[in-house]
Amino acid sequence: MSAAPASFAALFAPYTLRSVTIPNRVWMAPMCQYSAEAFGPNAGVAHEWHFAHYAARAVGGTGLIIQEATAVSPEGRISPYDLGIWNDAQVEALRPITAFVKAQGAVPGIQIGHAGRKASTERPWKGGRWVGPEAHGWLPSAPSAVPFHEGDPVPHELTVDEIREITGQFAAAAERALAAGYEVVEIHGAHGYLIGQFLSPDSNKRTDEYGGSFENRTRFPLEVVDAVRAVWPAELPLFFRISATDWLDGEGWTADETVRLAGLLLEHGVDLLDVSTGGLSPHAKVPVGPGYQVPFAARVKGETGLPVAAVGLITDPEQAEKILANGEADAVLLGRELLRDPYWARRAAAELGGELRTPTQYHRAW
């Protein structure tokens, strides 16, 4: 792993994981756009919106762009309008995006995931609740027959064979991600989606080898990591996104368990933990505030040595610089702030004295 040169702001020092050098520590968090077609031959296929969205952040100087949660199967989509990576047509549509991102000097990453019981929902601006077949929806699957919201349909409880099939879908998605040109894969284990549902005793009520003890609840996540690592090239980094706590007063997944799992993920070939929180239960009380999730990332880094990225209401360049300078994280992930300002990295570089590659076409402005 690379260290920040003294002559640069820490935020604009390059960072190397395996063979990939990311030009700075301003990284884009995966954020669903809910903008793909919902059904037919183009279901889950990226189009002009996705190209323009990611291209703008690459031109804006973002070092690593992690594409929104991209489903490993049709049933794994959060909404019918999510991107997918379960077929070759989807791969072909993603290649122009990764090629353009690389041409700007940024690194293209992709988050692969399965929504579990939180699947088949309407787009957030239309309420975000479960939708049925009349709106291109389906019955979700989950570790246990426990719905996310009261009034949602009871999800199908996965059999052991179905769990293993989904593990294979994650591996196949990683292979397609490589074919599409991505250099970082992130496994989505956060925000109450399928992997997080297995981790949390609040949603995982199984009594077989996938439920109950910490070892059993982490079995499926570690099997997914092993399956992906087996097909993802050894020279390319693998990330894992975690919700460090469910914010359920000890009744769900906890920070202590996150630290314990982080050590195992390191042993299983994960290169960086993307540390978020929450999303498992609509009843959680989350104390949202500037940098509220950073202490969880700092604890993982301090107690396990696994590199971490911090996320959550990081909006100000000085705030981001301080997180890195204090050693609380190895990079910062910006979400909504990059929706508001695709050129955030350039503004931060001007404020902090960092250096960024500028497209030749824009040199006259800098």
Side-chain angles (χ1 to χ4, degrees):
M1 262 123 327
S2 53
S7 57
F8 288 159
L11 200 57
F12 296 97
Y15 191 65
T16 299
L17 289 166
R18 299 194 184 232
S19 69
V20 176
T21 297
I22 302 167
N24 60 59
R25 317 294 181 97
V26 181
W27 299 356
M28 182 177 180
M31 292 173 286
C32 287
Q33 298 299 291
Y34 307 103
S35 297
E37 289 191 27
F39 64 100
N42 290 324
V45 174
H47 55 71
E48 293 89 346
W49 173 264
H50 303 94
F51 182 93
H53 174 63
Y54 293 111
R57 278 78 195 168
V59 171
T62 307
L64 169 66
I65 295 174
I66 305 179
Q67 182 175 296
E68 63 201 84
T70 305
V72 301
S73 70
E75 300 78 22
R77 290 173 291 174
I78 300 167
S79 85
Y81 303 93
D82 285 10
L83 289 182
I85 194 161
W86 65 79
N87 66 41
D88 292 341
Q90 294 160 347
V91 171
E92 290 300 320
L94 293 169
R95 281 179 176 149
I97 296 175
T98 61
F100 187 87
V101 167
K102 291 177 186 178
Q104 309 315 306
V107 173
I110 184 172
Q111 184 186 76
I112 55 174
H114 190 296
R117 70 179 186 177
K118 294 177 75 174
S120 188
T121 60
E122 184 53 273
R123 290 164 288 191
W125 54 86
K126 290 195 172 183
R129 294 301 298 267
W130 179 78
V131 295
E134 72 286 349
H136 314 299
W138 58 93
L139 179 68
S141 298
S144 302
V146 181
F148 177 63
H149 280 114
E150 293 180 9
D152 284 354
V154 175
H156 163 69
E157 185 170 308
L158 292 164
T159 67
V160 170
D161 285 344
E162 288 168 336
I163 292 170
R164 291 172 180 161
E165 180 181 1
I166 293 172
T167 302
Q169 291 169 346
F170 272 92
E175 291 182 298
R176 289 193 176 95
L178 181 66
Y182 293 94
E183 296 179 327
V184 172
V185 158
E186 177 174 274
I187 296 169
H188 197 356
H191 301 159
Y193 296 116
L194 184 64
I195 290 176
Q197 291 160 29
F198 272 92
L199 291 174
S200 179
D202 188 72
S203 52
N204 185 346
K205 308 298 183 182
R206 300 178 73 96
T207 57
D208 62 5
E209 66 266 40
Y210 288 99
S213 67
F214 172 88
E215 290 77 12
N216 285 354
R217 286 183 284 114
T218 58
R219 189 181 307 278
F220 172 62
L222 291 174
E223 287 176 348
V224 169
V225 168
D226 289 344
V228 170
R229 188 74 267 181
V231 300
W232 188 241
E235 67 272 16
L236 296 180
L238 174 64
F239 291 7
F240 190 97
R241 190 168 222 195
I242 189 79
S243 281
T245 176
D246 289 336
W247 299 109
L248 292 175
D249 296 325
E251 296 179 3
W253 180 256
T254 67
D256 289 343
E257 290 177 310
T258 291
V259 172
R260 188 175 174 189
L261 177 60
L264 294 172
L265 292 171
L266 182 61
E267 293 175 7
H268 284 251
V270 168
D271 299 289
L272 181 139
L273 194 66
D274 172 355
V275 185
S276 188
T277 65
L280 189 281
S281 170
H283 306 297
K285 294 180 173 59
V286 184
V288 175
Y292 70 106
Q293 296 173 153
V294 173
F296 297 99
R299 182 180 172 191
V300 169
K301 181 176 170 64
E303 295 187 25
T304 70
L306 179 63
V308 297
V311 64
L313 279 181
I314 299 170
T315 59
D316 180 76
E318 289 188 6
Q319 174 198 18
E321 175 70 14
K322 184 178 179 181
I323 291 167
L324 301 182
N326 288 346
E328 296 174 282
D330 299 284
V332 293
L333 284 155
L334 303 183
R336 291 175 176 84
E337 192 64 18
L338 274 177
L339 296 184
R340 289 186 281 265
D341 182 5
Y343 285 75
W344 189 93
R346 297 202 177 280
R347 177 167 61 83
E351 291 184 19
L352 300 175
E355 294 185 4
L356 283 178
R357 171 177 169 173
T358 301
T360 304
Q361 298 92 328
Y362 290 178
H363 278 180
R364 73 186 102 171
W366 272 273

